[in-house]
Amino acid sequence: MFAGTLKMEMNRNRYFLIGVLLVLLGSQFRMIDSFVLNEPTTRALANMSRNATPTPSDSFSTFLMQVHPKPTKRVHPPRWLGLAMIAVGSVVSLHALAIPRNG
């Protein structure tokens, strides 16, 4: 190995941590209906999708843009995403229990 490089081993503790985090994040996605991105994230998303500015779709939104000019985007994650994350997280956590301990 080269001096100064770190090699991170994926042992059972890290697998278990990833699994638990996926289960918790999946349960959060099951509880929410939508979430609103802040202004810098919305602008970065608009730049990545090659839109010049996030355009409002109705007259009430254009009125709000004059009063409150910070653009935000509302994201509606699909309903199945939370269940998929919970399922993958539980499989990874159970896999971590099946890995032999390193003494």
Side-chain angles (χ1 to χ4, degrees), residues 2-23:
F2 297 105
T5 60
L6 295 174
K7 184 180 177 208
M8 185 170 70
E9 287 185 28
M10 286 298 290
N11 57 12
R12 70 184 285 177
N13 295 333
R14 290 202 175 105
Y15 276 114
F16 189 73
L17 175 67
I18 290 169
V20 168
L21 288 177
L22 279 173
V23 168

